[in-house]
Amino acid sequence: MVKLTKLIDNSVLVAPGAKSLLRQRATVADDIFPDREAAEAATKENAKAIDALQDALWAEGERALLVVLQGIDTSGKDGTVRAVFNRCGPLGVNVTPFGRPSEEELAHDFLWRIHMAAPKKGVIGVFNRSHYEDVLVVKVRGLAPADVVEARYAQISAFEKHLHDTGTRVLKFMLNISKDEQKQRLQARLDDPEKNWKFNASDLDDRKLWDEYAKAYENALDRCSTDYAPWRVVPADRKWQRNAIVAAVVRKTLEDMAPVYPKPDWKASDFRIE
Ligand code: ATP
């Protein structure tokens, strides 16, 4: 496990302070998980371990874990949640999707809705999209003035440091798919009746802005990968590799956090159940 997560991080971690070189990064991970069956078995085993660790995290009640998932349309954010957290009880994992902000949300600072959804102690919070949209779609589509967006990188890092310093471990995954793979996944949404519901014509508009999004992602990764909230770029063209990587990192992080069951201040022999 330790060897595997080292291998993963050598390849996927964006070292704090270093350039992410996003556009040169691989979208397949044959060097890490060459074998599909083994990868799927590892994901299942890790999902089970994550459930057990989450149970201890809840019992301990002192700390939280936040998993941020970002990626362009069809990159597999929902699928990742399903594969990695499917063994966890619904009370222990809180998944929050972030779509276009409401009027109320826009009337507050951009981190307001994010902070409200941050996991409470004992819980794993998963963000499907996140505060990074405020330096991605907002930047690409010019939804806020450039200087406002520019100030957000530092504001985001300060916010994530605050979460970290107050007991929340922050993991951030960018699910990295190729433009060709996105084409195939969008086409499948048009062709497959069971996937038609996922098709959204606006995804095609975003696809036209592929290069602008890539630049915005690269910028965010370059500027917001820190020791306390590092980014990982996950090769995501193959769903089973993507799932296996995220599951392994989440499990290892929880193991490092090492939540402990609290010791009772009573002895079982003090009680008799009639
Ligand atoms: P997804 O594409 O994530 O599977 P979806 O297509 O069902 O989700 P929603 O979840 O309703 O759509 O919203 C996602 C959309 O909201 C994305 O296009 C995203 O760029 C946009 N969005 C998210 N955050 C913001 C923001 N802060 N400002 C503007 N748009 C945002």
Side-chain angles (χ1 to χ4, degrees):
M1 185 73 189
V2 173
K3 224 167 113 195
L4 175 65
T5 42
K6 273 208 177 120
L7 177 68
I8 291 175
D9 273 349
N10 278 341
S11 159
V12 310
L13 194 69
V14 177
K19 293 266 176 237
S20 65
L21 302 175
L22 174 64
R23 283 169 288 177
Q24 296 167 32
R25 284 184 182 245
T27 54
V28 291
D30 291 345
D31 53 332
I32 306 171
F33 285 108
D35 180 74
R36 181 171 182 159
E37 249 177 61
E40 286 175 347
T43 302
K44 277 196 185 135
E45 198 197 310
N46 287 335
K48 222 163 114 183
I50 289 167
D51 175 45
L53 286 154
Q54 195 284 320
D55 193 62
L57 192 73
W58 175 258
E60 181 194 75
E62 296 290 336
R63 294 169 295 165
L65 174 67
L66 171 62
V67 177
V68 172
L69 297 177
Q70 278 290 160
I72 207 124
D73 296 314
T74 75
S75 60
K77 300 178 290 293
D78 289 327
T80 303
V81 176
R82 214 172 302 129
V84 177
F85 300 103
N86 62 9
R87 293 298 298 259
C88 294
L91 297 177
V93 178
N94 245 324
V95 183
T96 311
F98 289 99
R100 236 161 257 122
S102 66
E103 238 176 85
E104 175 73 8
E105 287 167 347
L106 282 173
H108 290 82
D109 74 274
F110 77 104
L111 290 171
W112 178 73
R113 66 174 181 162
I114 306 294
H115 206 167
M116 296 255 283
K120 61 183 178 186
K121 288 171 183 174
V123 168
I124 299 177
V126 183
F127 286 177
N128 180 337
R129 300 185 187 269
S130 67
H131 41 305
Y132 282 92
E133 291 295 328
D134 293 281
V135 292
L136 293 167
V137 62
V138 171
K139 184 181 170 90
V140 169
R141 294 200 170 270
L143 303 178
D147 60 327
V148 170
V149 175
E150 182 56 31
R152 286 182 175 166
Y153 301 98
Q155 290 162 351
I156 285 173
S157 289
F159 168 66
E160 291 174 351
K161 180 155 196 323
H162 169 74
L163 289 182
H164 176 270
D165 291 350
T166 51
T168 299
R169 280 286 279 267
V170 183
L171 287 176
K172 302 182 296 199
F173 298 99
M174 190 266 174
L175 309 182
N176 190 27
I177 58 167
S178 62
K179 202 172 176 188
D180 274 354
E181 181 65 24
Q182 190 195 45
K183 185 177 181 187
Q184 286 176 34
R185 292 185 189 183
L186 287 171
Q187 192 63 49
R189 290 180 180 188
L190 286 174
D191 297 342
D192 181 346
E194 286 185 6
K195 290 187 177 162
N196 287 165
W197 66 273
K198 290 194 207 172
F199 182 75
N200 185 339
S202 73
D203 292 352
L204 301 184
D205 296 333
D206 272 346
R207 180 170 166 81
K208 291 194 189 113
L209 296 168
W210 183 276
D211 291 339
E212 285 79 357
Y213 272 106
K215 265 186 233 153
Y217 263 107
E218 192 160 280
N219 203 13
L221 297 167
D222 288 354
R223 299 182 65 178
C224 297
S225 196
T226 54
D227 289 330
Y228 45 86
W231 268 110
R232 288 177 172 84
V233 180
V234 179
D237 276 0
R238 298 193 175 128
K239 297 172 182 173
W240 48 274
Q241 290 178 337
R242 173 201 76 202
N243 295 341
I245 290 170
V246 175
V249 174
V250 170
R251 177 184 178 171
K252 174 72 168 50
T253 303
L254 285 164
E255 282 177 352
D256 288 349
M257 289 170 77
V260 285
Y261 286 98
K263 288 220 161 56
D265 53 5
W266 43 261
K267 287 200 301 282
S269 56
D270 292 343
F271 298 94
R272 252 186 64 177
I273 301 172
E274 301 294 344

